[in-house]
Amino acid sequence: MDFTSYTVELLKLLNNITGSYGFAIIALTIIVRACLWPLGVSQQRSMRAMQVLQPKMKLIQERYKNDPQMAQRKLMEFYKENNCNPMAGWLPLLIQMPIFILLYTALISPQFIQEAGNSNFFFINRLDKTLRGSAGTSYDGTFSISDSNDKFVVYKNVKVFLGDEELDNVKIDSKNAIKVQGDIEPGQSIDLKINLDDFNLKYSQLEKMTSAVVDIQNMKTREVETVKFERKDGIMAASMPTDKPQNQFNFDVFILILLFAVTMFATQKVVMAQNKNTQQDPMQAQMQKMMGTMMPVMIIFMFVIAPIPAGVLLYLVVSNIIQIIQTIVINKQLENEENLKHNVKDLSEVKTIKPIETKTIETDKK
């Protein structure tokens, strides 16, 4: 199995535990964020250290402004002396990117769509839906075709006829077994074919095979149709009428995009609020404020254009909420550590008071 299949299997397992694919995605988000918690601590510790050291770093840059190479070398020495890694803040983001890609490919994969693509969760109608989509009515005898990029896959195991004999649950090995003959044009019949070798049957059975009934899904419109293939010239061939699908605007996905923007904006606000008590370069503070305002707007624009499934957006929203909680908790933990260090330092600076010397007066023994 590939990584996409492993991700789908993990979602199936979490679904069996939680009873919902929506809760399965939330559980996966919690697992990922829990695994990244130590890196989050390192990230915020590094950010606080960089802010404290910012004035000294600026002095180094000004001193060697005419020699960029020397300035870079001195900065690296400065980072090393103060045990500060400027790249630590980016590491959690870099690790989360492959997870995001895996979840995206899993939720648009045939395996997930066949298993749970029509799963709903609270106000979300389908976890595999994108903001704009082409909808078709399943099992109406007509395929809805959007354009020549439509891809067809086997929806589940097929039924095969060997003369008078009938075999159920026959598997087809190739994921790309369904091939289209000729051009795809909405409103015109579409010719489909399957090579005999793609059926998981013995050679003697392949020789007897006369027809097959296959449930086929159009990956673009998520529509499923039952298609009967007949043997012709050494292949299994079928023809299906087509029409043009209706374009839909999915408001539930749009709500998820807005929730993502709100939670991301809140995350930036929390980070900026936590950094108020630390010394920070004014230029860096202004840039951080601008990024906190512009980034949600840019991502909304990107998600409106890009076809992001609802399940992926659910993952991102929950991840942002956990990030807000994590930022508050970890910063509180770091503040307690700093206060403890200051208290210990203050105690060590307190001078020990010498005891008052007392003289013992001895009385003469009579």
Side-chain angles (χ1 to χ4, degrees), residues 50 63 65 83 97 104-105 109 148 155 161 175-178 210 220 247 257 283 305 332:
M50 291 289 288
R63 179 176 295 179
K65 61 182 178 180
N83 296 320
M97 186 57 66
Y104 174 82
T105 55
S109 67
S148 59
Y155 185 70
F161 295 90
K175 292 181 180 179
N176 301 316
I178 309 298
T210 57
K220 200 161 190 179
N247 292 324
I257 293 176
M283 183 69 70
I305 297 175
K332 189 65 177 177

Side-chain angles (χ1 to χ4, degrees), residues 290-339:
M290 185 184 302
M291 289 295 293
T293 305
M294 294 299 297
M295 188 64 71
V297 177
M298 293 170 60
I299 290 184
I300 283 182
F301 182 74
M302 183 185 72
F303 283 175
V304 166
I305 297 175
I308 306 296
V312 178
L313 291 169
L314 176 63
Y315 169 87
L316 293 173
V317 170
V318 176
S319 182
N320 281 347
I321 294 173
I322 296 175
Q323 177 67 46
I324 293 171
I325 299 172
Q326 175 181 297
T327 302
I328 296 173
V329 172
I330 293 178
N331 271 287
K332 189 65 177 177
Q333 176 185 346
L334 296 178
E335 286 177 5
N336 291 336
E337 290 179 3
E338 291 172 1
N339 292 335

Side-chain angles (χ1 to χ4, degrees), residues 36 38 53 76 84 86 195 270-271 279 314 363:
L36 294 177
L53 299 174
M76 296 305 294
C84 182
N195 293 327
V270 168
V271 171
Q279 191 174 7
L314 176 63
T363 57

Side-chain angles (χ1 to χ4, degrees), residues 261-284:
V262 169
T263 53
M264 185 177 182
F265 182 77
T267 302
Q268 297 292 334
K269 283 293 185 182
V270 168
V271 171
M272 292 173 65
Q274 296 292 332
N275 294 335
K276 279 184 178 179
N277 297 327
T278 58
Q279 191 174 7
Q280 193 173 7
D281 181 64
M283 183 69 70
Q284 185 182 5

Side-chain angles (χ1 to χ4, degrees), residues 203-214:
Y203 179 78
S204 58
Q205 294 174 317
L206 291 176
E207 288 295 307
K208 298 177 182 179
M209 188 165 63
T210 57
S211 61
V213 176
V214 186

Side-chain angles (χ1 to χ4, degrees), residues 5 40 56 93 113 145 155 168 193-194 243 245 290 308 349 365:
S5 300
K56 294 182 179 178
L93 295 176
I113 293 173
I145 304 295
Y155 185 70
D168 291 326
K193 71 173 184 178
I194 305 176
D243 59 14
M290 185 184 302
I308 306 296
E349 291 176 353
K365 293 181 181 180

Side-chain angles (χ1 to χ4, degrees), residues 29 32-33 36 39 43 90-103 315-316 319-320 323 326:
T29 312
V32 170
R33 298 299 308 193
L36 294 177
L39 288 177
Q43 176 191 24
W90 292 96
L91 189 56
L93 295 176
L94 293 176
I95 292 177
Q96 285 189 76
M97 186 57 66
I99 299 171
F100 170 82
I101 295 173
L102 269 178
L103 187 61
Y315 169 87
L316 293 173
S319 182
N320 281 347
Q323 177 67 46
Q326 175 181 297

